[in-house]
Structure formats: structure tokens, C-alpha cells
Amino acid sequence: MKQYILALDQGTTSSRALLFDHKGGVVAMAQKEFKQIYPKHGWVEHDPYDILKSQLDVMYEVIKKSKVNNSQILGIGITNQRETAIVWNKKTGAPIYNAIVWQDTRTSDLCQQLKSDDNLEDYVRKSTGLVIDSYFSATKIHWILKNVKGAQKSAEAGDLLFGTVDTWLIWNLTNGASHMTDFSNASRTMLFNISNLNWDEELLEKFDIPRQMLPDVTHSGFHFGMAKLQGGDVPIMGVAGDQQAALFGQGCFEPGQAKNTYGTGCFLLMNTGEKIQYSKNGLLTTIAWGLNGKIEYALEGSIFMAGAAIQWLRDGLKMINSAAETEQIAQRVKGDSGVYMVPAFSGLGAPYWDMYARGGIFGLTQDTTNEEIVKATLESLAYQTRDILFAMANDSGVKLNSLQVDGGASANNYLMQFQADILNVLVERPKNIESTAVGAAYFAGITSGMWSMTDLKKKRAVDKTFKPKMDDFTRNYLYTGWHNAIKRCMNWAR
Ligand SMILES: Nc1ncnc2c1ncn2[C@@H]1O[C@H](COP(=O)(O)OP(=O)(O)O)[C@@H](O)[C@H]1O
Ligand SMILES: O=P(O)(O)OC[C@H](O)CO
């Protein structure tokens, strides 16, 4: 009997399901976008039921398309947009508020206030590996408890549960039997001590979050419970935040190996092994995964707006019809137009950490074309990545010779070539750019005994390597222009 692993990849803009066979090949895949809710400037929400429904829909579509029996699925691996906070009623299962998405900046002022206490900033960094920012779950949970009528009291009475998206899915898939998360997701809440692997009591008190509403935390490879599916139960055998899953899916198992995922945002992670390494250059320290009794860590550079800026060209400005056509558009522009676009729509993440930065387009002249703006937007993904890679080289002492890439926008050949040029390193794209789902499948595959680490090391296949072609003068000249543009965007909305 053939056996399979099912990966559920719950992203910021869409839910995906992929079924993998024993060789690691994709048997079937389905994807569904869901609604983004923007109630006010800087606020971003999802309906938790949209998240759940879209994820279940694609899961059943894949099972149906591939004609497998549930008993052939050895395990489910879940991976998810991280930090996004959901609070729901333990008895009814109903969320008490929409999911507050990682991009949401409604708690910026609160964070700014907290940042004025130097001791707290140091404490947060030491305990959680993070910086104080509205990006992480802690202040989002705090906001829900303070702003939804009766929520604080109910939480204290033990009637409410909190979860990141993985926890919400596990809880629903197991019909409320498991309230759990894994170390990689917990490490993004700003409430979890990454050294002693416990929820941090001092931070819980600071944010007035009752311990009892938090999930149990365990390894990324673990039996999280039985998913009660139509057609029979299937065990959930792996869980990891999407960026850590992509690091695993790209085969970055050794310290010094790194990947960059170009999705809604862009996230560059470097494996630092079992050692916690704190950044001096605005990067985050995070748990990569817990596996086989070992915890491994990573340095992370988080870019908030990447593919989302392309989506804005399509849906907001209606300048393009599809994300894919930006490749040809950018290739048509001849020479350097001097246009820069900084997509700081939700502030700037690493290495700047400026919640009050806002976007801007610079260098416009009367003959600037739409095509030049599209090109500048694509290039902003590459410039932001260069900011991070330099910070990472300074922190880790590792100078990468090549960067492994994945995620939706890594399909763009213009962008990947420009990335190689502006970094002056090789950019290597795998055959399967869905590394996030691959990573989730690997965790579940290892736990269920389908694969060993030795098997996984053999699986990576390269599609294309982009070699730098730009001369040093041009590279430095262009990058200086980017910094000038960034400077003008910072602190804008303060
Ligand atoms: N060919 C492309 N060129 C540029 N951007 C792209 C391309 N294809 C997809 N994108 C962008 O990538 C993002 C989708 O990538 P994906 O990895 O699916 O993201 P997520 O997991 O965050 O939902 C979208 O924001 C889209 O605008
Ligand atoms: O949904 P993605 O793939 O853009 O990932 C979002 C990140 O997990 C946010 O930290």
C-alpha cells in the first residue's frame, strides 16, 4: 500500500494543501485565497472561520483529487503564518474577535511606550530573542483582552483560549481535544522564554495575560492529536511556523545555512545550531525547531512587505493584471530610471524596526512610467534582502556564497537576477519553491517514520542558479539610492 504525508500550509493570503509521496514528490496540490480585512489604517484582520474553512476546503480537494484513502496518509504536517493571534471561547469554540494579523500595527503606541523602558527591552531580548514590536502576538492578545467586552474577566475565569494559527487549526481538527503549539511558533509570541522553554511569567504579568489561556508547547515533530476527518482519522505529526518550516524544507540543517522566502513578506533565516546567538544588528533570535529531543535556533531578518507590495500594484493601484507579468514589465524597462519604491506600509521590520515608517516612491520625473514603478517595486524586495543579509553577515561572521530562495515571488526571474546582482552572491532556486509545505511534510514524515534525516538530505533539487553580473560601481551606486529613500520614509507616521 502506498503511503503519503499531507501538508497544510496556512499563509497570510491563502491556504494550501499538498500531498507528498514516499519520494517527496507532490501528488496533488490545492490553494485558495481568503479575505483580508482592513478595518482602519494599519489594522489587518482575518476571520478565523475563513482561515479554517479555506484550509479544510483545500485539504479535502487534495484528498479527493489524489484518490487516496485516509488510512494511507501517515501524518499531517501543519505550517502557518506566524504571530497572528486568535482568542476563542473554550466551550463554544467561537472566536471572540477576528484574528489580529502579524502585519497589524494597532498596538504601535503601546509598544513605543514599553520601549522607553530600557530594562524591559533588554529583558524581552534576553528571554524571547525578539524586539518589542507590534508584529508579535503579545500586544495583540493584550489588545483583545482589553477591548472586547468582558474578555479579561473570562480569560481569568479560564473560559478563553489563545492560539497562533497552528493552534487554532489543531484545536479544530481534533474537535477541541488538543490545545497545543510547537516551539517555533511559541517563540514568536514575545511571551516565551527561548532558553528555559517555558512561558515567561514576568511578561505574562506585564501584558495581563492569564497563563491558562496559553497552549502547551512541544517539539515540531510530535504526535499533536488525531485530526477527525471525513473518511477517517489522521494523526497530526508535525507543526512549525512557516519560515522555520521553509528553513527545514530547504535542507538548512547545519549551522551557517540560510534561506530567503519571498511570500507576502520576506524572511531570511540562518540556522545557528543549538547555540542561542543574539543579534547586534537588528535581527531576531528565534527557535528554528525542536526535533529528536534537540532545540535548534536561527537568526532571522523579517521583511514585512514583499509579495504584498506586488499584490498592491495589482489590487490597489490596478497597475498590473497579475504578479507574474511584473517579470516581463521590469525586463522592458531600459537602463536605470532612478525610481525607488519603499513598501513600508506596516512600518519597517528588520533591521530598522520602525513601526512609524510609511511607504514612498522616490525619484519621479514627468516622464516616469508605470513600468518603472513596477520595476522599482520588484527591486525593493531585493534591496530589503540586502539590508538583512549584511546584518546577518555581521552578526554571524558567516559570509554566504549562495542564498537559497523559495516562496511565490522567487518564481520571478528578473527579481532573482537582480537579487544576485545587488547581493553579489549566487542565488539558488529549488525545483519545488513550496519549501514551507515541504518542511511541514518533513517534520510529519520524520515523526511518522516515513523518512530519516539521511533521506531528507538527499531530496533537494536545484531548478536554477542566478549568477551576479553587475559591476561593483553600479551595485554600490544603486544601493546608496535605496538608503536615501529608506531614510526619508522612517518615522513618517509618528
Ligand atoms: N511571479 C511573481 N513575481 C512577483 N511576485 C509574485 C509572483 N508570483 C507571486 N508573487 C507574489 O508572491 C506572493 C505569494 O507568495 P506565497 O509564497 O504564496 O505567499 P504567502 O505564503 O505569504 O501567502 C504574493 O504576494 C504575490 O504578489
Ligand atoms: O504568510 P507568509 O508566508 O507571508 O508568512 C508570514 C510570516 O510567518 C509572518 O511572520
Side-chain angles (χ1 to χ4, degrees), residues 9 11-14 16 31 102 242 261-265 306-311 314 323-327 378 381 406-412 415 434:
D9 176 3
T12 310
T13 55
S14 72
R16 290 185 184 79
Q31 178 174 9
W102 58 274
D242 56 6
T261 301
Y262 300 74
T264 304
I310 311 294
Q311 234 162 340
R314 187 192 68 183
E325 75 186 41
T326 57
E327 181 176 328
L378 263 185
L381 277 62
D406 55 71
S410 73
N412 192 303
L415 172 61
E434 302 284 346

PDB file of all heavy atoms in Angstrom, residues 9 11-14 16 31 102 242 261-265 306-311 314 323-327 378 381 406-412 415 434, ligand 1:
ATOM      1  N   ASP A   9      -0.578  24.267   4.616  1.00  0.00           N
ATOM      2  CA  ASP A   9       0.217  25.492   4.695  1.00  0.00           C
ATOM      3  C   ASP A   9      -0.739  26.684   4.749  1.00  0.00           C
ATOM      4  O   ASP A   9      -1.266  27.120   3.724  1.00  0.00           O
ATOM      5  CB  ASP A   9       1.135  25.554   3.460  1.00  0.00           C
ATOM      6  CG  ASP A   9       1.946  26.845   3.400  1.00  0.00           C
ATOM      7  OD1 ASP A   9       1.847  27.667   4.326  1.00  0.00           O
ATOM      8  OD2 ASP A   9       2.679  27.025   2.407  1.00  0.00           O
ATOM      9  N   GLY A  11      -1.105  30.270   4.908  1.00  0.00           N
ATOM     10  CA  GLY A  11      -0.349  31.515   4.723  1.00  0.00           C
ATOM     11  C   GLY A  11      -1.192  32.766   4.971  1.00  0.00           C
ATOM     12  O   GLY A  11      -2.396  32.676   5.238  1.00  0.00           O
ATOM     13  N   THR A  12      -0.568  33.912   4.838  1.00  0.00           N
ATOM     14  CA  THR A  12      -1.246  35.177   5.126  1.00  0.00           C
ATOM     15  C   THR A  12      -2.373  35.462   4.138  1.00  0.00           C
ATOM     16  O   THR A  12      -3.416  36.006   4.520  1.00  0.00           O
ATOM     17  CB  THR A  12      -0.231  36.340   5.065  1.00  0.00           C
ATOM     18  OG1 THR A  12       0.898  35.987   5.857  1.00  0.00           O
ATOM     19  CG2 THR A  12      -0.821  37.630   5.569  1.00  0.00           C
ATOM     20  N   THR A  13      -2.154  35.106   2.879  1.00  0.00           N
ATOM     21  CA  THR A  13      -3.177  35.448   1.891  1.00  0.00           C
ATOM     22  C   THR A  13      -3.909  34.233   1.339  1.00  0.00           C
ATOM     23  O   THR A  13      -4.954  34.373   0.723  1.00  0.00           O
ATOM     24  CB  THR A  13      -2.550  36.212   0.698  1.00  0.00           C
ATOM     25  OG1 THR A  13      -1.489  35.411   0.168  1.00  0.00           O
ATOM     26  CG2 THR A  13      -2.005  37.556   1.124  1.00  0.00           C
ATOM     27  N   SER A  14      -3.326  33.044   1.536  1.00  0.00           N
ATOM     28  CA  SER A  14      -4.008  31.854   1.017  1.00  0.00           C
ATOM     29  C   SER A  14      -3.701  30.628   1.869  1.00  0.00           C
ATOM     30  O   SER A  14      -2.703  30.607   2.603  1.00  0.00           O
ATOM     31  CB  SER A  14      -3.614  31.603  -0.431  1.00  0.00           C
ATOM     32  OG  SER A  14      -2.292  31.130  -0.490  1.00  0.00           O
ATOM     33  N   ARG A  16      -3.055  26.482   1.570  1.00  0.00           N
ATOM     34  CA  ARG A  16      -2.660  25.473   0.589  1.00  0.00           C
ATOM     35  C   ARG A  16      -2.645  24.107   1.249  1.00  0.00           C
ATOM     36  O   ARG A  16      -2.407  23.992   2.452  1.00  0.00           O
ATOM     37  CB  ARG A  16      -1.227  25.712   0.127  1.00  0.00           C
ATOM     38  CG  ARG A  16      -0.979  26.905  -0.725  1.00  0.00           C
ATOM     39  CD  ARG A  16       0.502  26.810  -1.121  1.00  0.00           C
ATOM     40  NE  ARG A  16       0.971  27.911  -1.878  1.00  0.00           N
ATOM     41  CZ  ARG A  16       1.303  29.091  -1.377  1.00  0.00           C
ATOM     42  NH1 ARG A  16       1.181  29.303  -0.084  1.00  0.00           N
ATOM     43  NH2 ARG A  16       1.749  30.051  -2.147  1.00  0.00           N
ATOM     44  N   GLN A  31      -5.024  25.313  -3.647  1.00  0.00           N
ATOM     45  CA  GLN A  31      -4.759  26.602  -2.988  1.00  0.00           C
ATOM     46  C   GLN A  31      -5.999  27.477  -3.060  1.00  0.00           C
ATOM     47  O   GLN A  31      -6.705  27.467  -4.078  1.00  0.00           O
ATOM     48  CB  GLN A  31      -3.599  27.290  -3.700  1.00  0.00           C
ATOM     49  CG  GLN A  31      -3.272  28.658  -3.139  1.00  0.00           C
ATOM     50  CD  GLN A  31      -2.022  29.260  -3.770  1.00  0.00           C
ATOM     51  OE1 GLN A  31      -1.497  28.724  -4.739  1.00  0.00           O
ATOM     52  NE2 GLN A  31      -1.567  30.357  -3.219  1.00  0.00           N
ATOM     53  N   TRP A 102      -0.300  39.390  11.860  1.00  0.00           N
ATOM     54  CA  TRP A 102       1.075  39.826  12.186  1.00  0.00           C
ATOM     55  C   TRP A 102       1.398  41.211  11.647  1.00  0.00           C
ATOM     56  O   TRP A 102       2.162  41.956  12.235  1.00  0.00           O
ATOM     57  CB  TRP A 102       2.086  38.781  11.707  1.00  0.00           C
ATOM     58  CG  TRP A 102       2.055  38.470  10.229  1.00  0.00           C
ATOM     59  CD1 TRP A 102       1.243  37.571   9.623  1.00  0.00           C
ATOM     60  CD2 TRP A 102       2.868  39.038   9.191  1.00  0.00           C
ATOM     61  NE1 TRP A 102       1.490  37.549   8.271  1.00  0.00           N
ATOM     62  CE2 TRP A 102       2.494  38.417   7.972  1.00  0.00           C
ATOM     63  CE3 TRP A 102       3.889  39.981   9.161  1.00  0.00           C
ATOM     64  CZ2 TRP A 102       3.096  38.737   6.749  1.00  0.00           C
ATOM     65  CZ3 TRP A 102       4.490  40.301   7.940  1.00  0.00           C
ATOM     66  CH2 TRP A 102       4.092  39.676   6.768  1.00  0.00           C
ATOM     67  N   ASP A 242       5.772  29.007   9.486  1.00  0.00           N
ATOM     68  CA  ASP A 242       6.097  28.811   8.064  1.00  0.00           C
ATOM     69  C   ASP A 242       7.550  29.110   7.693  1.00  0.00           C
ATOM     70  O   ASP A 242       8.132  28.424   6.853  1.00  0.00           O
ATOM     71  CB  ASP A 242       5.114  29.537   7.143  1.00  0.00           C
ATOM     72  CG  ASP A 242       4.994  31.033   7.398  1.00  0.00           C
ATOM     73  OD1 ASP A 242       5.758  31.571   8.218  1.00  0.00           O
ATOM     74  OD2 ASP A 242       4.124  31.660   6.766  1.00  0.00           O
ATOM     75  N   THR A 261      12.676  33.441   1.967  1.00  0.00           N
ATOM     76  CA  THR A 261      11.360  33.103   1.401  1.00  0.00           C
ATOM     77  C   THR A 261      10.657  34.376   0.957  1.00  0.00           C
ATOM     78  O   THR A 261      10.454  35.287   1.763  1.00  0.00           O
ATOM     79  CB  THR A 261      10.500  32.355   2.442  1.00  0.00           C
ATOM     80  OG1 THR A 261      11.202  31.167   2.823  1.00  0.00           O
ATOM     81  CG2 THR A 261       9.137  31.974   1.875  1.00  0.00           C
ATOM     82  N   TYR A 262      10.288  34.439  -0.316  1.00  0.00           N
ATOM     83  CA  TYR A 262       9.612  35.620  -0.874  1.00  0.00           C
ATOM     84  C   TYR A 262       8.122  35.337  -0.983  1.00  0.00           C
ATOM     85  O   TYR A 262       7.648  34.815  -1.995  1.00  0.00           O
ATOM     86  CB  TYR A 262      10.165  35.946  -2.266  1.00  0.00           C
ATOM     87  CG  TYR A 262      11.644  36.246  -2.304  1.00  0.00           C
ATOM     88  CD1 TYR A 262      12.573  35.223  -2.177  1.00  0.00           C
ATOM     89  CD2 TYR A 262      12.110  37.539  -2.486  1.00  0.00           C
ATOM     90  CE1 TYR A 262      13.936  35.483  -2.216  1.00  0.00           C
ATOM     91  CE2 TYR A 262      13.472  37.814  -2.532  1.00  0.00           C
ATOM     92  CZ  TYR A 262      14.375  36.782  -2.396  1.00  0.00           C
ATOM     93  OH  TYR A 262      15.716  37.043  -2.437  1.00  0.00           O
ATOM     94  N   GLY A 263       7.382  35.614   0.090  1.00  0.00           N
ATOM     95  CA  GLY A 263       5.930  35.444   0.060  1.00  0.00           C
ATOM     96  C   GLY A 263       5.294  36.812   0.250  1.00  0.00           C
ATOM     97  O   GLY A 263       5.758  37.804  -0.335  1.00  0.00           O
ATOM     98  N   THR A 264       4.262  36.885   1.075  1.00  0.00           N
ATOM     99  CA  THR A 264       3.640  38.160   1.423  1.00  0.00           C
ATOM    100  C   THR A 264       4.716  39.100   1.961  1.00  0.00           C
ATOM    101  O   THR A 264       4.863  40.238   1.526  1.00  0.00           O
ATOM    102  CB  THR A 264       2.562  37.930   2.501  1.00  0.00           C
ATOM    103  OG1 THR A 264       1.656  36.969   2.008  1.00  0.00           O
ATOM    104  CG2 THR A 264       1.858  39.218   2.856  1.00  0.00           C
ATOM    105  N   GLY A 265       5.447  38.569   2.937  1.00  0.00           N
ATOM    106  CA  GLY A 265       6.644  39.249   3.430  1.00  0.00           C
ATOM    107  C   GLY A 265       7.839  38.473   2.912  1.00  0.00           C
ATOM    108  O   GLY A 265       7.697  37.579   2.079  1.00  0.00           O
ATOM    109  N   ALA A 306       6.693  42.272   0.941  1.00  0.00           N
ATOM    110  CA  ALA A 306       7.452  41.794  -0.225  1.00  0.00           C
ATOM    111  C   ALA A 306       6.431  41.530  -1.330  1.00  0.00           C
ATOM    112  O   ALA A 306       5.976  42.458  -2.010  1.00  0.00           O
ATOM    113  CB  ALA A 306       8.257  40.566   0.158  1.00  0.00           C
ATOM    114  N   GLY A 307       5.985  40.284  -1.472  1.00  0.00           N
ATOM    115  CA  GLY A 307       4.962  39.973  -2.473  1.00  0.00           C
ATOM    116  C   GLY A 307       3.709  40.816  -2.277  1.00  0.00           C
ATOM    117  O   GLY A 307       2.991  41.113  -3.248  1.00  0.00           O
ATOM    118  N   ALA A 308       3.451  41.221  -1.031  1.00  0.00           N
ATOM    119  CA  ALA A 308       2.260  42.039  -0.762  1.00  0.00           C
ATOM    120  C   ALA A 308       2.322  43.367  -1.507  1.00  0.00           C
ATOM    121  O   ALA A 308       1.287  43.938  -1.869  1.00  0.00           O
ATOM    122  CB  ALA A 308       2.116  42.282   0.740  1.00  0.00           C
ATOM    123  N   ALA A 309       3.535  43.862  -1.731  1.00  0.00           N
ATOM    124  CA  ALA A 309       3.680  45.118  -2.485  1.00  0.00           C
ATOM    125  C   ALA A 309       3.298  44.880  -3.948  1.00  0.00           C
ATOM    126  O   ALA A 309       2.726  45.764  -4.604  1.00  0.00           O
ATOM    127  CB  ALA A 309       5.115  45.634  -2.373  1.00  0.00           C
ATOM    128  N   ILE A 310       3.591  43.687  -4.441  1.00  0.00           N
ATOM    129  CA  ILE A 310       3.217  43.340  -5.825  1.00  0.00           C
ATOM    130  C   ILE A 310       1.686  43.209  -5.902  1.00  0.00           C
ATOM    131  O   ILE A 310       1.047  43.653  -6.870  1.00  0.00           O
ATOM    132  CB  ILE A 310       3.887  42.007  -6.261  1.00  0.00           C
ATOM    133  CG1 ILE A 310       5.387  42.011  -5.954  1.00  0.00           C
ATOM    134  CG2 ILE A 310       3.605  41.702  -7.728  1.00  0.00           C
ATOM    135  CD1 ILE A 310       6.205  43.011  -6.732  1.00  0.00           C
ATOM    136  N   GLN A 311       1.153  42.628  -4.851  1.00  0.00           N
ATOM    137  CA  GLN A 311      -0.314  42.481  -4.784  1.00  0.00           C
ATOM    138  C   GLN A 311      -0.997  43.855  -4.765  1.00  0.00           C
ATOM    139  O   GLN A 311      -2.064  44.038  -5.329  1.00  0.00           O
ATOM    140  CB  GLN A 311      -0.677  41.738  -3.506  1.00  0.00           C
ATOM    141  CG  GLN A 311      -1.528  40.533  -3.759  1.00  0.00           C
ATOM    142  CD  GLN A 311      -1.499  39.589  -2.571  1.00  0.00           C
ATOM    143  OE1 GLN A 311      -0.606  39.630  -1.745  1.00  0.00           O
ATOM    144  NE2 GLN A 311      -2.487  38.740  -2.482  1.00  0.00           N
ATOM    145  N   ARG A 314      -1.330  45.206  -8.068  1.00  0.00           N
ATOM    146  CA  ARG A 314      -2.417  44.538  -8.802  1.00  0.00           C
ATOM    147  C   ARG A 314      -3.790  44.980  -8.268  1.00  0.00           C
ATOM    148  O   ARG A 314      -4.631  45.457  -9.031  1.00  0.00           O
ATOM    149  CB  ARG A 314      -2.257  43.018  -8.641  1.00  0.00           C
ATOM    150  CG  ARG A 314      -3.222  42.195  -9.481  1.00  0.00           C
ATOM    151  CD  ARG A 314      -3.212  40.728  -9.052  1.00  0.00           C
ATOM    152  NE  ARG A 314      -3.787  40.551  -7.721  1.00  0.00           N
ATOM    153  CZ  ARG A 314      -3.854  39.381  -7.090  1.00  0.00           C
ATOM    154  NH1 ARG A 314      -3.369  38.301  -7.641  1.00  0.00           N
ATOM    155  NH2 ARG A 314      -4.408  39.302  -5.895  1.00  0.00           N
ATOM    156  N   ALA A 323       0.664  39.076 -10.777  1.00  0.00           N
ATOM    157  CA  ALA A 323       2.005  39.233 -10.197  1.00  0.00           C
ATOM    158  C   ALA A 323       3.052  38.747 -11.192  1.00  0.00           C
ATOM    159  O   ALA A 323       4.127  39.352 -11.332  1.00  0.00           O
ATOM    160  CB  ALA A 323       2.093  38.445  -8.892  1.00  0.00           C
ATOM    161  N   ALA A 324       2.727  37.681 -11.913  1.00  0.00           N
ATOM    162  CA  ALA A 324       3.719  37.060 -12.803  1.00  0.00           C
ATOM    163  C   ALA A 324       4.171  38.013 -13.919  1.00  0.00           C
ATOM    164  O   ALA A 324       5.325  37.979 -14.344  1.00  0.00           O
ATOM    165  CB  ALA A 324       3.136  35.784 -13.402  1.00  0.00           C
ATOM    166  N   GLU A 325       3.277  38.886 -14.388  1.00  0.00           N
ATOM    167  CA  GLU A 325       3.652  39.740 -15.525  1.00  0.00           C
ATOM    168  C   GLU A 325       4.684  40.810 -15.150  1.00  0.00           C
ATOM    169  O   GLU A 325       5.268  41.446 -16.029  1.00  0.00           O
ATOM    170  CB  GLU A 325       2.406  40.389 -16.154  1.00  0.00           C
ATOM    171  CG  GLU A 325       1.820  41.527 -15.346  1.00  0.00           C
ATOM    172  CD  GLU A 325       0.509  42.053 -15.933  1.00  0.00           C
ATOM    173  OE1 GLU A 325      -0.313  41.243 -16.368  1.00  0.00           O
ATOM    174  OE2 GLU A 325       0.329  43.270 -15.926  1.00  0.00           O
ATOM    175  N   THR A 326       4.941  40.994 -13.853  1.00  0.00           N
ATOM    176  CA  THR A 326       5.936  42.003 -13.451  1.00  0.00           C
ATOM    177  C   THR A 326       7.322  41.656 -13.999  1.00  0.00           C
ATOM    178  O   THR A 326       8.148  42.538 -14.201  1.00  0.00           O
ATOM    179  CB  THR A 326       6.016  42.150 -11.912  1.00  0.00           C
ATOM    180  OG1 THR A 326       6.329  40.869 -11.348  1.00  0.00           O
ATOM    181  CG2 THR A 326       4.715  42.653 -11.329  1.00  0.00           C
ATOM    182  N   GLU A 327       7.548  40.364 -14.220  1.00  0.00           N
ATOM    183  CA  GLU A 327       8.863  39.943 -14.747  1.00  0.00           C
ATOM    184  C   GLU A 327       9.115  40.574 -16.123  1.00  0.00           C
ATOM    185  O   GLU A 327      10.139  41.224 -16.334  1.00  0.00           O
ATOM    186  CB  GLU A 327       8.902  38.413 -14.841  1.00  0.00           C
ATOM    187  CG  GLU A 327      10.224  37.903 -15.343  1.00  0.00           C
ATOM    188  CD  GLU A 327      10.292  36.377 -15.336  1.00  0.00           C
ATOM    189  OE1 GLU A 327       9.665  35.732 -14.463  1.00  0.00           O
ATOM    190  OE2 GLU A 327      10.967  35.824 -16.215  1.00  0.00           O
ATOM    191  N   LEU A 378       9.468  45.710  -7.548  1.00  0.00           N
ATOM    192  CA  LEU A 378      10.138  44.393  -7.530  1.00  0.00           C
ATOM    193  C   LEU A 378      11.516  44.514  -6.886  1.00  0.00           C
ATOM    194  O   LEU A 378      11.911  43.692  -6.063  1.00  0.00           O
ATOM    195  CB  LEU A 378      10.342  43.909  -8.971  1.00  0.00           C
ATOM    196  CG  LEU A 378       9.344  42.943  -9.573  1.00  0.00           C
ATOM    197  CD1 LEU A 378       9.831  42.518 -10.959  1.00  0.00           C
ATOM    198  CD2 LEU A 378       9.124  41.717  -8.702  1.00  0.00           C
ATOM    199  N   LEU A 381      12.197  44.393  -3.043  1.00  0.00           N
ATOM    200  CA  LEU A 381      12.329  43.111  -2.332  1.00  0.00           C
ATOM    201  C   LEU A 381      13.809  42.736  -2.219  1.00  0.00           C
ATOM    202  O   LEU A 381      14.268  42.243  -1.182  1.00  0.00           O
ATOM    203  CB  LEU A 381      11.593  41.991  -3.094  1.00  0.00           C
ATOM    204  CG  LEU A 381      10.090  41.836  -2.872  1.00  0.00           C
ATOM    205  CD1 LEU A 381       9.299  43.064  -3.291  1.00  0.00           C
ATOM    206  CD2 LEU A 381       9.547  40.611  -3.599  1.00  0.00           C
ATOM    207  N   ASP A 406      13.020  30.711  -2.021  1.00  0.00           N
ATOM    208  CA  ASP A 406      11.771  29.997  -2.282  1.00  0.00           C
ATOM    209  C   ASP A 406      10.608  30.962  -2.087  1.00  0.00           C
ATOM    210  O   ASP A 406      10.818  32.156  -1.887  1.00  0.00           O
ATOM    211  CB  ASP A 406      11.634  28.772  -1.354  1.00  0.00           C
ATOM    212  CG  ASP A 406      11.757  29.139   0.107  1.00  0.00           C
ATOM    213  OD1 ASP A 406      10.830  29.776   0.638  1.00  0.00           O
ATOM    214  OD2 ASP A 406      12.771  28.822   0.743  1.00  0.00           O
ATOM    215  N   GLY A 407       9.378  30.454  -2.143  1.00  0.00           N
ATOM    216  CA  GLY A 407       8.187  31.299  -1.980  1.00  0.00           C
ATOM    217  C   GLY A 407       7.712  31.832  -3.333  1.00  0.00           C
ATOM    218  O   GLY A 407       8.466  31.832  -4.326  1.00  0.00           O
ATOM    219  N   GLY A 408       6.457  32.292  -3.374  1.00  0.00           N
ATOM    220  CA  GLY A 408       5.787  32.683  -4.614  1.00  0.00           C
ATOM    221  C   GLY A 408       6.585  33.608  -5.517  1.00  0.00           C
ATOM    222  O   GLY A 408       6.716  33.363  -6.724  1.00  0.00           O
ATOM    223  N   ALA A 409       7.164  34.685  -4.945  1.00  0.00           N
ATOM    224  CA  ALA A 409       7.836  35.676  -5.788  1.00  0.00           C
ATOM    225  C   ALA A 409       9.213  35.214  -6.257  1.00  0.00           C
ATOM    226  O   ALA A 409       9.807  35.849  -7.138  1.00  0.00           O
ATOM    227  CB  ALA A 409       7.940  37.012  -5.055  1.00  0.00           C
ATOM    228  N   SER A 410       9.718  34.096  -5.712  1.00  0.00           N
ATOM    229  CA  SER A 410      11.024  33.601  -6.186  1.00  0.00           C
ATOM    230  C   SER A 410      10.900  33.018  -7.596  1.00  0.00           C
ATOM    231  O   SER A 410      11.903  32.736  -8.246  1.00  0.00           O
ATOM    232  CB  SER A 410      11.619  32.566  -5.232  1.00  0.00           C
ATOM    233  OG  SER A 410      10.930  31.340  -5.331  1.00  0.00           O
ATOM    234  N   ALA A 411       9.671  32.864  -8.081  1.00  0.00           N
ATOM    235  CA  ALA A 411       9.464  32.404  -9.462  1.00  0.00           C
ATOM    236  C   ALA A 411       9.878  33.488 -10.461  1.00  0.00           C
ATOM    237  O   ALA A 411      10.059  33.215 -11.646  1.00  0.00           O
ATOM    238  CB  ALA A 411       7.990  32.056  -9.672  1.00  0.00           C
ATOM    239  N   ASN A 412      10.008  34.721  -9.992  1.00  0.00           N
ATOM    240  CA  ASN A 412      10.279  35.861 -10.869  1.00  0.00           C
ATOM    241  C   ASN A 412      11.770  35.936 -11.239  1.00  0.00           C
ATOM    242  O   ASN A 412      12.620  36.251 -10.400  1.00  0.00           O
ATOM    243  CB  ASN A 412       9.850  37.143 -10.141  1.00  0.00           C
ATOM    244  CG  ASN A 412       9.804  38.335 -11.047  1.00  0.00           C
ATOM    245  OD1 ASN A 412      10.793  38.681 -11.682  1.00  0.00           O
ATOM    246  ND2 ASN A 412       8.650  38.969 -11.114  1.00  0.00           N
ATOM    247  N   LEU A 415      13.558  39.373 -10.810  1.00  0.00           N
ATOM    248  CA  LEU A 415      13.841  39.655  -9.396  1.00  0.00           C
ATOM    249  C   LEU A 415      15.035  38.831  -8.910  1.00  0.00           C
ATOM    250  O   LEU A 415      15.924  39.357  -8.231  1.00  0.00           O
ATOM    251  CB  LEU A 415      12.590  39.358  -8.544  1.00  0.00           C
ATOM    252  CG  LEU A 415      12.779  39.421  -7.038  1.00  0.00           C
ATOM    253  CD1 LEU A 415      13.205  40.811  -6.590  1.00  0.00           C
ATOM    254  CD2 LEU A 415      11.481  39.023  -6.320  1.00  0.00           C
ATOM    255  N   GLU A 434       7.816  25.546  -3.025  1.00  0.00           N
ATOM    256  CA  GLU A 434       6.901  25.469  -1.883  1.00  0.00           C
ATOM    257  C   GLU A 434       7.640  24.879  -0.679  1.00  0.00           C
ATOM    258  O   GLU A 434       7.188  23.904  -0.062  1.00  0.00           O
ATOM    259  CB  GLU A 434       5.705  24.579  -2.229  1.00  0.00           C
ATOM    260  CG  GLU A 434       4.895  25.006  -3.434  1.00  0.00           C
ATOM    261  CD  GLU A 434       3.999  26.193  -3.140  1.00  0.00           C
ATOM    262  OE1 GLU A 434       3.807  26.520  -1.966  1.00  0.00           O
ATOM    263  OE2 GLU A 434       3.518  26.796  -4.106  1.00  0.00           O
TER     264      GLU A 434
HETATM  265  N1  LIG B   1       5.940  35.794 -10.474  1.00  0.00           N
HETATM  266  C1  LIG B   1       5.824  36.602  -9.422  1.00  0.00           C
HETATM  267  N2  LIG B   1       6.513  37.765  -9.360  1.00  0.00           N
HETATM  268  C2  LIG B   1       6.430  38.587  -8.301  1.00  0.00           C
HETATM  269  N3  LIG B   1       5.665  38.333  -7.231  1.00  0.00           N
HETATM  270  C3  LIG B   1       4.956  37.204  -7.228  1.00  0.00           C
HETATM  271  C4  LIG B   1       4.985  36.285  -8.319  1.00  0.00           C
HETATM  272  N4  LIG B   1       4.162  35.254  -8.003  1.00  0.00           N
HETATM  273  C5  LIG B   1       3.654  35.529  -6.793  1.00  0.00           C
HETATM  274  N5  LIG B   1       4.119  36.695  -6.316  1.00  0.00           N
HETATM  275  C6  LIG B   1       3.814  37.332  -5.024  1.00  0.00           C
HETATM  276  O1  LIG B   1       4.118  36.384  -4.027  1.00  0.00           O
HETATM  277  C7  LIG B   1       3.115  36.327  -3.027  1.00  0.00           C
HETATM  278  C8  LIG B   1       2.584  34.928  -2.944  1.00  0.00           C
HETATM  279  O2  LIG B   1       3.596  34.102  -2.499  1.00  0.00           O
HETATM  280  P1  LIG B   1       3.266  32.958  -1.462  1.00  0.00           P
HETATM  281  O3  LIG B   1       4.547  32.227  -1.220  1.00  0.00           O
HETATM  282  O4  LIG B   1       2.111  32.219  -1.992  1.00  0.00           O
HETATM  283  O5  LIG B   1       2.839  33.868  -0.219  1.00  0.00           O
HETATM  284  P2  LIG B   1       2.106  33.577   1.193  1.00  0.00           P
HETATM  285  O6  LIG B   1       2.526  32.204   1.620  1.00  0.00           O
HETATM  286  O7  LIG B   1       2.651  34.663   2.038  1.00  0.00           O
HETATM  287  O8  LIG B   1       0.624  33.742   1.013  1.00  0.00           O
HETATM  288  C9  LIG B   1       2.021  37.280  -3.441  1.00  0.00           C
HETATM  289  O9  LIG B   1       2.094  38.399  -2.584  1.00  0.00           O
HETATM  290  C10 LIG B   1       2.340  37.654  -4.887  1.00  0.00           C
HETATM  291  O10 LIG B   1       2.114  39.018  -5.113  1.00  0.00           O
END
